Amino acid sequence: MDPTISPDERRTAFGRIPSRVAVERDAAGVWHVRGFAAARALLRGDSTRQAGFKAELVERVPGRGKVPILFLEGRPHHEQRRLTAPFFTPRAVDTRYRPLMARLADRVIGDFRRQRRAELSAMGMEMAVGVAAEVVGLTDSRRPGLDRRINAFFAGGLEQGGWLRRIRQALVAQFRLLRFYWIDVRPSMAARRARPREDVISHLLAQGYRGTEVLTECITYGAAGMVTTREFITVCAWHLIDDAALRAQYLAADEPARHALLEELLRLEPVVGTLFRRTTCPVTLGGAKIPEGAMVAVDVRAVNADPAVSGERPLAKQPGRCPAQRAGAPVLSFGDGAHRCPGSFLAIQETDIFLTRLLAVPGLRFEREPRVGWNDLVTGYELREAWLACE
């Protein structure tokens, strides 16, 4: 095996070794980008538009109103990012949300210690939902269960099976949408109309967003801030609980070093596996000429394992690794360019606050290690049935 590839310490890659072909077209006409230089040039350029997270379906919705920020491009996107940036700066996260994160982590892990048994991904979801709900403004629900209602949106596809099953799935999806709107979004909007706060819903209402438009943004932030962070918490816990030396190194480190270690684990195990774009004009990448209107799939796993950016042994955990070309420790795990995830620091900090408390629990061990599945919407892994026990 190629010495730049071995050993493979990933838990979620289904045994697949990344291809070293930087750019190539498959039989279906999709262009796959696996080299770091080509991927960054594409994502930082202005010759593509968003094509992931069901972007084509959103474009075909009649009378959809304001386009969600995830699918905006150009100047409108830059303006919305500028307006929402204050919610996600490291200073805002550290001063505004750190006490909340600490309270949530203490509560979730306190429940685990009392019961002596808990499912890790459910704990991670409770933590992620609690933090993201505060940032977004989903804090005035009519009844408990926001985490279950958010999770229901990502529990299965809508294109599987025959026509009868697809109709049933569509009706179930509509019911879940309306339930989320009436129980969670609408009362939170009403509270903020009466008393605006420093959160995303208040910002949207000030911009004249209607109820359905606020609903769409809440679902978008639900995917980004809740579902993906749950997987990040779970995969980092998996590595740290199983690897005693790495766990000791993590617990002995200061906060910047712990954050760097978590970013290295995310580089190795990116939650979102593929970033899709559609070209708006001809593009040349790595010597390949990609025509206008082509679908381009940036393979985040392969890019993060490109020896040109991550150095030797890119499939091994190596805290302190210094990716070349100023890529940043997670490389493309948070994306790049205009659509780079704005909540990256939020995700790192809440994961660190949760894990430092979890790993301090006496006798912490897995009764059952995570079952690895796949989520088509985020093109990434799902870790479930990860049962923890403690003394």
Side-chain angles (χ1 to χ4, degrees):
M1 184 179 289
D2 187 339
T4 65
I5 295 298
S6 61
D8 188 348
E9 296 180 358
R10 299 171 298 171
R11 307 292 178 89
T12 65
F14 305 98
R16 294 178 296 189
I17 301 300
S19 169
R20 296 269 64 87
V21 179
V23 182
E24 67 176 341
R25 179 180 179 274
D26 67 17
V30 177
W31 290 83
H32 297 267
V33 178
R34 306 186 184 95
F36 172 74
R40 185 159 73 168
L42 181 83
L43 296 174
R44 292 190 175 184
D46 57 2
S47 55
T48 65
R49 56 183 171 82
Q50 180 74 271
F53 297 102
K54 308 296 185 185
E56 271 84 1
L57 291 178
V58 171
E59 290 175 355
R60 293 199 296 267
V61 173
R64 67 180 186 273
K66 289 180 169 51
V67 177
I69 188 171
L70 183 64
F71 307 122
L72 284 172
E73 301 292 346
R75 181 172 294 180
H77 179 263
H78 288 299
E79 180 64 12
Q80 282 300 319
R81 286 293 292 262
R82 182 186 69 80
L83 292 171
T84 56
F87 304 121
F88 302 103
T89 64
R91 182 176 180 181
V93 170
D94 197 51
T95 59
R96 191 180 302 166
Y97 303 121
R98 180 188 285 270
L100 168 70
M101 294 175 187
R103 290 196 305 272
L104 284 169
D106 287 339
R107 186 187 73 200
V108 173
I109 294 168
D111 289 343
F112 165 51
R113 295 187 69 162
R114 283 189 293 274
Q115 297 167 5
R116 300 187 182 181
R117 187 173 186 266
E119 204 280 312
L120 176 58
S121 69
M123 295 168 69
M125 187 65 170
E126 187 176 351
M127 178 76 181
V129 167
V131 174
E134 189 72 25
V135 177
V136 176
L138 290 168
T139 59
D140 296 87
S141 300
R142 297 182 191 276
R143 61 174 182 259
L146 173 62
D147 55 342
R148 295 190 299 275
R149 291 187 289 276
I150 285 287
N151 198 50
F153 288 113
F154 312 100
L158 295 178
E159 295 86 17
Q160 301 173 357
W163 67 270
L164 191 59
R165 185 178 180 184
R166 290 199 299 273
I167 291 174
R168 179 181 177 277
Q169 289 173 328
L171 292 173
V172 169
Q174 287 298 314
F175 166 75
R176 290 171 176 169
L177 197 67
L178 289 171
R179 179 180 61 180
F180 178 53
Y181 178 71
W182 285 101
I183 295 177
D184 303 296
V185 177
R186 187 178 173 88
S188 296
M189 289 171 56
R192 278 144 189 83
R193 284 196 179 101
R195 186 180 177 185
R197 307 178 196 176
E198 292 292 325
D199 55 36
V200 174
I201 289 180
S202 297
H203 158 73
L204 296 174
L205 292 175
Q207 293 235 307
Y209 276 60
R210 297 175 299 177
T212 54
E213 295 163 344
V214 174
L215 170 65
T216 305
E217 292 289 3
C218 288
I219 295 171
T220 300
Y221 282 100
M226 301 178 189
V227 177
T228 55
T229 303
R230 180 253 306 270
E231 305 304 339
F232 180 39
I233 289 172
T234 306
V235 78
C236 288
W238 192 2
H239 279 276
L240 291 166
I241 293 170
D242 269 2
D243 189 330
L246 189 68
R247 180 171 68 251
Q249 179 181 346
Y250 175 76
L251 291 174
D254 60 12
E255 185 173 89
R258 293 198 308 271
H259 287 192
L261 192 154
L262 296 178
E263 289 175 334
E264 167 65 1
L265 292 177
L266 184 60
R267 181 201 65 81
L268 189 68
E269 312 266 22
V271 178
V272 177
T274 309
L275 301 174
F276 292 99
R277 298 290 187 269
R278 192 172 291 279
T279 55
T280 56
C281 63
V283 181
T284 299
L285 290 175
K289 295 182 178 180
I290 304 176
E292 179 180 351
M295 178 68 78
V296 183
V298 178
D299 186 337
V300 177
R301 291 177 181 275
V303 172
N304 287 5
D306 183 352
V309 67
S310 293
E312 296 183 352
R313 295 159 43 98
L315 300 185
K317 300 188 292 278
Q318 187 178 310
R321 183 190 299 272
C322 185
Q325 305 182 56
R326 299 181 179 177
V331 191
L332 289 192
S333 297
F334 288 117
D336 205 338
H339 283 281
R340 189 181 189 277
C341 175
S344 56
F345 187 80
L346 186 75
I348 293 292
Q349 178 138 299
E350 69 178 279
T351 299
D352 181 49
I353 287 173
F354 180 84
L355 290 177
T356 52
R357 287 160 170 76
L358 177 66
L359 297 173
V361 173
L364 180 67
R365 65 188 185 280
F366 275 113
E367 275 189 0
R368 178 175 180 174
E369 292 197 339
R371 173 181 56 80
V372 183
W374 188 257
N375 186 305
D376 289 326
L377 179 62
V378 300
T379 61
Y381 54 81
E382 288 185 336
L383 303 177
R384 299 293 181 271
E385 299 175 25
W387 285 96
L388 292 176
C390 66
E391 292 179 359

